[in-house]
C-alpha cells in the first residue's frame, strides 16, 4: 500500500471524526448519530491506525528483489477516478480490497451532503451496496454498514431499502462478535429507518428489539444513543411496547438516566414517558425505585433541560394509587414544593399536568388534598404564563371531584378563575370556564361565590365566544347559578335570553345541549319567557326538537315544557310547530322520551280542543274557556283544523261541530265567525228553518249571573261561511 493510500485512509478518519451524525464529544447531541468518540481516533475502524484497521496492508515495505508475477495473474493497476459513476461500477468487483476502498470513497462522498446521497440513488448504487452487508469479509461489511448509517437520512433511500427488505441484514450487524463501529452505524441505520411506521414494522418483525436492548449496555455512547433512539421510535407502537416488557428493558433504560450525555438521558426519559402510559410499566418503574431517579433529576439545576420530561414520566406514575401511597410523605411533597417555587413556567405547567393526571383517581385526590395541593394550584393560577394558567385550571377541574377540595376553592380560586374568563387567550378562557362548571355543579356556595366575584356578566359575555367548549361551559355555570332564585333573577337582568340565542343556533351538539338546559333553568319566570319570545329564541329552540342527537332533543323538550307555562309562549310554540314535532316524537319508538311526552301534554293543555279531539278526554284541571270546540275524534296523522277552516268547509251531514262559549246575556243571537277559535263576532241573523235547528232556546238567567252556552253549529248550504247558532243556557 503506497503513501497515497495511507493518506486517503487518514483523510477518511478525519472526515469521520468530524461527521455530525456520530459525535457526542462535548456532552451535547451534535447529530442524530452521535456520542463522543475520543477525538479523531476512537473505536471506529475507519479512524484508527491504518495498520491496525487493515492488518497486512499498511506496514512499511522493504525493498527486495522483484519477482516476476505469475503468468495467470493480472498485473496491478492503479486507477484514480473522480466520477461517482465509475466508482459504482467497482461495487461488482470480486476483490475484497477493492470493495473496501470503494466503500470508503462512497462513505466520504455521502458525508458531504444530501445531494450526493441522491446522486448515489440515481446511479443505482444502493442495491449493490446492500449485497455487501452480507459479504464474508468483515471489513467490507463494516464499511458498507457505515454507508447505510449515513444514507438512511434520505427518505427516498429509506423507501428503497424497505422495498429491498434488507432489515435482517442490518440487524445481523448488531451481533456481539461485530466491531463497535459496526454496531454504531447499524444502530444509526435502524434509528433512521424506525422514524416511519413501515420501518418500525420491519425491524420488529425481524427481531430487532432484542439486540437493540442489549446494546443499551454498550460501553460506546454512540451505540447507546442510536439504540435508545430507535427503541423510542418503536415504542410508539403498542405491539412493540408489549415485547419491550417481555424483554425486561426497563432496568437498562433506567441506567441511561445516569449517563453523562444529556441527549441519552433525554431519549431515555422520552421512552419512559411513552411506556408508562401503561399500568404494567408503571409497576415496573415503581419496583425499580425509578421515582428516586426522577426526583434526583428535578433537584439538579444543571439538568433543567430534562425537568419537563422527568415531570411527565412522574405524572404517569402518579396515576396509580399504589405509587401515591408510597411517595406521599416524601416524593409528593418535594414535587409540589418544586412546582410552587419554580420560576420556569414549563416546569410549573408540567407539574400541574402531573396533578391533573393523578387526580383522575379518587384516592389520589384525597391524598393530594391532604398535602394541600389546592394552595399550589392557586399560586399557579396567578402565573403570567398562559400555559401554566391553563394547566392549573385543568388541575382544579380534576380536583373539584373531591368535595373537600371543592369547598376549599370557595373563597380562593373562584375569583381568579372569573378573572381568567376575561383573558384574550381562548384556551385560557376555556380552561377557566371548565373549572368553574365543575366547581359550581351541585354546589350552591360556589355558585354564589362566582356571582359575588362579578361572574354573571363575565359568563354572559363568554357566551359570544367562537370556541364551542368555552360557550358550553359558560352556559353550564349559568345553569348552575339559576337553580337559586336570587341568582336567577340577577341573571335575568343581564339580557340573558338574547345572549343564549346564539348558542341555540350553534351547530355544535354540546353547545346546543347546554344552551337548552340553561333556557330550561332560567325560563321559570314569565318575564324571562317574554324576553325569550321577543329575542326570537323560540324558533331555534323548536328547531332543536328535530335534532337527531338524543341529548339535545331531550333537553330541548324539557326547555319547551318549561316555556309552555304561560298562554302567550305556548301559543307561539304551537304556531312554530312544536306540537306537531312533539307528536311525531311520541309516535316514534326510538325517539320518544319522558321529556317529550311531558312537553306535548303541557302544550295540549293550552289547546283543549285539540287535546279532546286526539285523546277523547279532558282532565279535572282542564278548564274550558271561550273558543273550545269539539269537531269529533280525529285519527293519528290527521290534521286538526282550526274553527275558521271548519267554517269554510262544504256542508256535511256526517257530524256537527260543538262550540262552548261563556257570556252574560239574555238575548238570543246568531254569530258570524271571523277567525280561529276565539270569541265570536256578534251579528244579527234571520230566522232559520227548523231543519237547521238542533236545540231550542231556554229561558234567560237573572242579570249578573254566569252562564255557559252550548252551541250546536251546522254549516249552511247557502252560506258556508256563516254558522247557524241556537243557544242553550244553563246555570253554573
Amino acid at each position: 500500500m503506497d503513501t497515497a493510500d495511507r493518506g486517503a485512509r487518514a483523510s477518511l478518519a478525519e472526515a469521520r471524526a468530524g461527521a455530525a451524525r456520530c459525535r457526542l464529544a462535548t456532552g451535547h447531541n451534535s447529530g442524530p448519530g452521535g456520542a463522543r468518540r475520543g477525538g479523531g481516533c476512537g473505536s471506529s475502524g475507519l479512524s484508527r491506525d491504518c495498520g491496525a484497521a487493515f492488518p497486512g496492508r499498511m506496514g512499511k515495505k522493504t525493498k527486495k528483489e522483484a519477482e516476476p508475477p505469475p503468468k495467470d495473474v493480472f498485473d496491478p493497476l492503479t486507477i484514480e477516478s473522480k466520477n461517482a459513476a465509475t466508482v459504482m461500477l467497482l461495487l461488482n468487483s470480486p476483490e475484497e480490497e477493492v470493495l473496501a476502498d470503494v466503500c470508503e470513497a462512497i462513505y466520504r462522498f455521502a458525508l458531504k451532503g444530501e445531494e450526493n446521497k441522491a446522486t448515489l440513488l440515481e446511479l443505482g448504487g444502493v442495491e449493490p451496496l446492500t449485497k455487501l452487508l452480507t459479504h464474508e469479509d468483515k471489513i467490507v461489511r463494516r464499511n458498507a454498514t457505515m454507508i447505510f448509517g449515513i444514507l438512511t437520512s434520505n427518505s427516498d433511500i429509506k423507501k428503497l431499502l424497505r422495498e429491498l427488505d434488507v432489515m435482517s441484514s442490518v440487524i445481523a450487524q448488531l451481533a456481539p462478535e461485530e466491531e463497535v463501529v459496526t454496531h454504531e452505524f447499524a444502530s444509526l441505520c435502524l434509528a433512521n429507518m424506525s422514524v416511519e411506521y413501515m420501518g418500525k414494522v420491519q425491524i420488529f418483525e425481524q427481531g430487532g428489539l432484542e439486540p437493540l436492548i442489549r446494546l443499551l449496555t454498550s460501553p460506546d455512547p454512540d451505540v447507546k444513543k442510536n439504540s435508545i433512539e430507535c427503541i423510542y421510535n418503536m415504542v410508539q407502537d403498542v405491539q412493540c411496547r408489549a415485547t419491550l416488557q417481555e424483554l425486561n428493558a426497563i432496568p437498562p433504560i433506567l441506567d441511561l438516566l445516569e449517563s453523562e450525555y444529556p441527549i441519552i438521558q433525554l431519549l431515555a426519559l422520552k421512552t419512559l414517558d411513552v411506556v408508562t402510559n401503561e399500568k404494567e410499566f408503571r409497576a415496573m418503574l415503581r419496583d425499580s425505585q425509578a421515582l428516586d431517579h426522577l426526583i434526583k433529576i428535578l433537584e439538579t439545576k444543571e439538568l433543567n433541560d430534562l425537568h419537563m420530561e422527568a415531570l411527565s414520566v412522574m405524572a404517569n406514575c402518579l396515576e396509580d394509587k399504589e405509587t401515591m401511597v408510597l411517595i406521599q410523605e416524601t416524593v409528593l411533597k418535594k414535587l409540589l414544593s418544586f412546582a410552587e417555587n419554580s420560576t420556569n413556567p414549563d416546569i410549573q405547567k408540567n407539574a400541574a399536568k402531573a396533578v391533573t393526571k393523578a387526580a383522575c383517581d379518587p384516592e389520589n385526590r384525597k391524598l393530594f388534598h391532604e398535602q394541600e395541593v389546592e394552595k399550589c394550584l392557586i399560586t399557579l393560577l396567578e402565573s403570567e404564563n398562559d400555559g401554566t394558567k391553563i394547566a392549573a385550571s385543568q388541575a382544579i377541574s380534576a380536583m373539584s371531584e373531591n368535595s373537600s377540595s371543592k369547598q376549599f376553592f370557595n373563597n380562593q380560586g373562584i375569583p381568579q378563575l372569573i378573572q381568567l374568563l376575561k383573558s384574550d387567550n381562548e384556551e385560557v378562557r376555556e380552561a377557566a370556564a371548565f373549572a368553574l362548571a365543575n366547581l359550581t355543579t351541585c354546589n350552591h356556595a360556589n355558585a354564589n361565590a362566582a356571582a359575588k366575584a362579578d361572574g354573571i356578566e363575565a359568563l354572559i359575555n363568554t357566551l359570544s365566544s367562537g370556541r364551542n367548549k368555552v360557550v358550553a361551559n359558560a352556559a353550564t355555570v349559568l345553569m348552575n347559578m339559576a337553580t337559586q332564585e336570587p341568582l336567577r333573577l340577577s341573571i335575568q337582568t343581564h339580557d340573558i335570553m338574547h345572549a343564549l340565542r346564539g348558542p341555540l343556533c350553534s351547530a355544535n351538539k354540546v353547545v346546543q345541549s347546554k344552551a337548552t338546559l340553561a333556557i330550561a333553568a332560567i325560563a321559570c319566570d314569565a318575564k324571562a319567557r317574554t324576553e325569550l319570545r321577543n329575542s326570537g329564541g323560540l324558533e331555534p329552540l323548536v328547531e332543536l326538537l328535530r335534532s337527531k342527537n338524543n341529548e339535545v332533543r331531550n333537553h330541548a323538550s324539557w326547555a319547551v315544557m318549561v316555556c309552555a307555562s304561560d298562554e302567550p309562549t305556548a301559543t307561539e310554540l304551537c304556531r312554530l310547530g312544536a306540537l306537531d314535532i312533539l307528536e311525531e316524537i311520541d309516535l316514534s319508538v326510538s325517539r320518544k322520551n319522558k321529556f317529550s311526552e311531558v312537553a306535548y301534554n303541557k302544550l295540549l293543555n293550552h289547546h283543549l280542543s285539540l287535546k279532546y279531539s286526539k285523546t277523547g278526554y279532558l282532565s279535572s284541571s282542564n278548564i274550558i274557556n271561550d273558543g273550545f270546540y269539539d269537531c269529533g275524534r280525529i285519527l293519528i296523522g290527521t290534521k286538526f283544523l282550526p274553527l275558521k277552516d271548519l267554517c269554510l268547509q262544504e256542508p256535511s251531514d256526517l257530524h256537527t261541530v260543538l262550540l262552548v262559549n261563556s257570556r252574560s246575556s239574555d238575548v238570543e243571537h246568531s254569530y258570524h265567525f271571523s277567525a280561529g277559535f276565539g270569541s265570536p263576532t256578534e251579528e244579527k241573523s234571520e230566522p232559520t228553518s227548523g231543519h237547521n235547528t238542533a236545540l231550542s232556546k231556554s229561558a234567560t238567567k237573572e242579570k249578573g249571573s254566569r252562564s255557559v252556552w252550548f252551541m250546536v253549529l251546522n254549516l249552511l248550504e247557502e252560506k258556508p261561511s256563516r254558522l247557524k247558532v241556537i243557544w242553550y243556557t244553563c246555570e253554573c
Side-chain angles (χ1 to χ4, degrees):
M1 183 69 66
D2 57 16
T3 305
D5 188 14
R6 288 197 299 273
R9 294 188 182 279
S11 299
L12 176 59
E14 293 175 3
R16 183 175 178 279
R21 286 193 62 82
C22 51
R23 299 273 84 67
L24 286 176
T26 61
H28 298 284
N29 184 23
S30 58
R36 180 180 55 200
R37 283 219 156 272
C41 295
S43 59
S44 169
L46 294 184
S47 60
R48 66 181 64 183
D49 179 75
C50 295
F54 303 96
R57 299 178 59 200
M58 301 302 297
K60 185 176 180 181
K61 298 181 180 179
T62 58
K63 292 184 178 181
K64 59 180 180 179
E65 294 183 4
E67 296 181 1
K71 295 180 179 180
D72 58 345
V73 175
F74 194 83
D75 292 341
L77 176 65
T78 302
I79 298 176
E80 182 177 337
S81 175
K82 296 183 179 180
N83 190 297
T86 303
V87 177
M88 292 298 104
L89 297 175
L90 297 176
L91 288 174
N92 295 317
S93 172
E95 299 184 62
E96 296 172 356
E97 291 186 3
V98 172
L99 292 175
D101 291 341
V102 168
C103 287
E104 290 177 18
I106 294 174
Y107 173 79
R108 289 195 300 267
F109 182 73
L111 272 178
K112 294 179 181 179
E114 291 298 318
E115 292 183 0
N116 290 355
K117 298 174 187 177
T119 300
L120 292 174
L121 178 63
E122 292 173 2
L123 293 173
V126 174
E127 188 169 358
L129 279 170
T130 60
K131 298 177 181 178
L132 300 183
L133 291 172
T134 56
H135 197 279
E136 60 182 11
D137 184 78
K138 197 171 185 177
I139 295 177
V140 173
R141 291 200 308 271
R142 180 198 64 191
N143 292 357
T145 302
M146 291 176 62
I147 294 173
F148 282 110
I150 301 300
L151 290 182
T152 47
S153 63
N154 182 285
S155 58
D156 293 328
I157 293 177
K158 282 193 287 188
K159 181 179 178 181
L160 177 59
L161 290 178
R162 288 196 300 270
E163 294 173 355
L164 295 174
D165 196 19
V166 298
M167 211 64 72
S168 59
S169 300
V170 178
I171 293 172
Q173 307 311 309
L174 302 179
E177 61 270 15
E178 297 291 344
E179 297 180 8
V180 172
V181 69
T182 304
H183 290 166
E184 175 185 342
F185 284 94
S187 58
L188 176 60
C189 175
L190 294 177
N192 290 335
M193 294 294 292
S194 64
V195 172
E196 298 172 2
Y197 175 73
M198 288 308 300
K200 295 185 183 71
V201 171
Q202 289 187 352
I203 295 172
F204 176 77
E205 291 178 347
Q206 297 297 330
L209 265 179
E210 185 174 2
L212 286 168
I213 292 171
R214 173 172 45 79
L215 290 179
L216 293 178
T217 58
S218 170
D220 186 85
D222 287 317
V223 176
K224 289 181 178 179
K225 184 264 175 187
N226 295 337
S227 299
I228 189 61
E229 182 178 5
C230 184
I231 291 172
Y232 167 68
N233 292 337
M234 293 187 66
V235 296
Q236 311 298 323
D237 181 74
V238 62
Q239 193 172 5
C240 293
R241 292 198 295 272
T243 304
L244 199 70
Q245 183 180 350
E246 296 172 2
L247 296 173
N248 194 29
I250 292 300
I253 293 176
L254 288 176
D255 290 340
L256 296 182
L257 297 180
E258 303 292 338
S259 172
E260 61 179 305
Y261 299 102
I263 183 60
I264 295 178
Q265 293 175 304
L266 180 63
L267 287 168
L269 286 171
K270 285 186 172 183
T271 304
L272 292 173
D273 186 27
V274 174
V275 300
T276 50
N277 283 302
E278 298 183 5
K279 188 176 182 66
E280 294 77 13
F281 282 102
R282 295 197 293 268
M284 294 176 68
L285 259 68
R286 185 170 61 248
D287 296 339
S288 302
Q289 298 181 339
L291 293 179
D292 293 334
H293 291 282
L294 299 175
I295 286 295
K296 184 178 179 181
I297 292 174
L298 293 175
E299 291 177 339
T300 306
K301 293 183 178 180
E302 291 76 13
L303 299 178
N304 58 1
D305 55 336
L306 303 175
H307 286 175
M308 286 189 294
E309 284 73 19
L311 277 172
S312 185
V313 177
M314 183 169 287
N316 292 340
C317 293
L318 293 181
E319 290 186 41
D320 296 334
K321 61 181 179 182
E322 295 87 356
T323 304
M324 287 286 291
V325 172
L326 183 66
I327 69 171
Q328 61 176 319
E329 296 298 331
T330 54
V331 177
L332 188 56
K333 285 184 177 181
K334 290 181 180 180
L335 173 63
L336 296 178
S337 175
F338 176 77
E340 190 171 357
N341 298 321
S342 175
T343 57
N344 187 331
D346 290 330
I347 299 300
Q348 293 179 324
K349 176 178 66 177
N350 281 277
K353 287 182 177 180
V355 173
T356 304
K357 277 190 174 183
C360 293
D361 185 272
E363 291 297 324
N364 289 350
R365 291 195 292 268
K366 182 179 178 181
L367 293 172
F368 272 133
H369 176 66
E370 292 173 357
Q371 298 298 326
E372 297 183 327
V373 70
E374 297 89 354
K375 292 182 179 179
C376 173
L377 296 177
I378 291 172
T379 300
L380 298 183
L381 276 182
E382 297 173 351
S383 168
E384 295 182 358
N385 181 270
D386 285 345
T388 303
K389 293 175 184 176
I390 293 170
S393 299
Q394 292 170 342
I396 290 174
S397 299
M399 286 300 301
S400 65
E401 297 294 328
N402 180 277
S403 57
S404 299
S405 294
K406 184 177 284 191
Q407 184 178 356
F408 181 93
F409 290 118
N410 179 263
N411 296 320
Q412 302 179 65
I414 288 181
Q416 290 92 328
L417 291 169
I418 293 296
Q419 289 302 313
L420 294 184
L421 290 178
K422 303 173 184 178
S423 171
D424 294 333
N425 188 316
E426 287 288 349
E427 291 185 10
V428 173
R429 298 174 72 189
E430 178 182 322
F434 182 52
L436 287 168
N438 285 346
L439 288 171
T440 56
T441 298
C442 301
N443 193 297
H444 288 177
N446 284 352
N448 277 310
K452 289 180 181 178
D454 297 328
I456 293 177
E457 184 175 356
L459 288 163
I460 292 177
N461 290 337
T462 304
L463 292 175
S464 60
S465 170
R467 203 177 184 93
N468 291 326
K469 290 184 179 179
V470 177
V471 177
N473 289 323
T476 300
V477 180
L478 290 168
M479 177 190 68
N480 294 337
M481 288 181 172
T483 58
Q484 302 176 71
E485 185 176 1
L487 296 185
R488 184 172 68 249
L489 295 176
S490 179
I491 291 172
Q492 291 171 3
T493 62
H494 288 78
D495 198 19
I496 178 62
M497 293 304 184
H498 183 270
L500 283 171
R501 190 183 186 283
L504 285 175
C505 297
S506 171
N508 183 272
K509 298 295 184 288
V510 177
V511 173
Q512 293 172 351
S513 176
K514 300 302 182 182
T516 51
L517 281 178
I519 293 288
I522 299 170
C524 298
D525 305 298
K527 181 180 178 182
R529 293 192 290 271
T530 301
E531 182 185 345
L532 181 63
R533 291 198 310 272
N534 294 339
S535 64
L538 289 180
E539 186 172 356
L541 178 61
V542 170
E543 192 60 31
L544 291 180
L545 291 173
R546 302 181 187 274
S547 174
K548 295 181 180 179
N549 182 278
N550 290 336
E551 186 177 89
V552 174
R553 190 170 58 250
N554 293 351
H555 292 171
S557 299
W558 186 7
V560 167
M561 182 266 294
V562 173
C563 292
S565 297
D566 61 57
E567 186 71 32
T569 308
T571 302
E572 181 66 11
L573 286 169
C574 290
R575 186 188 70 81
L576 294 171
L579 201 56
D580 295 333
I581 299 172
L582 289 169
E583 181 181 19
E584 181 184 341
I585 293 174
D586 279 355
L587 292 175
S588 170
V589 177
S590 60
R591 292 187 295 160
K592 183 178 181 179
N593 60 83
K594 293 293 183 182
F595 298 107
S596 63
E597 185 178 351
V598 173
Y600 180 63
N601 290 330
K602 192 78 173 284
L603 286 177
L604 279 182
N605 287 335
H606 290 283
H607 200 335
L608 296 180
S609 299
L610 175 60
K611 180 177 181 179
Y612 189 70
S613 292
K614 284 186 174 293
T615 64
Y617 71 91
L618 298 177
S619 64
S620 59
S621 60
N622 295 143
I623 308 301
I624 296 175
N625 293 318
D626 292 354
F628 175 84
Y629 61 98
D630 175 18
C631 61
R633 191 71 177 268
I634 61 174
L635 300 176
I636 295 176
T638 304
K639 184 177 180 181
F640 180 79
L641 298 177
L643 193 57
K644 178 181 179 180
D645 291 350
L646 289 172
C647 295
L648 297 175
Q649 285 185 342
E650 292 295 325
S652 172
D653 294 331
L654 296 178
H655 68 274
T656 56
V657 179
L658 303 178
L659 172 67
V660 176
N661 191 35
S662 61
R663 55 177 288 118
S664 296
S665 176
D666 56 358
V667 181
E668 182 182 287
H669 290 85
S670 179
Y671 291 92
H672 171 72
F673 289 81
S674 59
F677 53 85
S679 300
T681 302
E682 183 176 341
E683 182 180 318
K684 295 289 183 178
S685 175
E686 298 294 330
T688 59
S689 59
H691 74 275
N692 284 325
T693 303
L695 295 173
S696 61
K697 182 185 72 173
S698 71
T700 60
K701 61 188 183 70
E702 294 180 0
K703 184 178 181 181
S705 64
R706 185 171 180 269
S707 301
V708 178
W709 302 79
F710 294 84
M711 297 164 287
V712 180
L713 312 180
N714 288 321
L715 299 175
L716 299 180
E717 295 181 7
E718 300 82 7
K719 298 180 180 179
S721 63
R722 294 177 59 85
L723 298 174
K724 181 62 181 179
V725 183
I726 304 298
W727 299 89
Y728 173 78
T729 309
C730 66
E731 292 293 334
C732 283

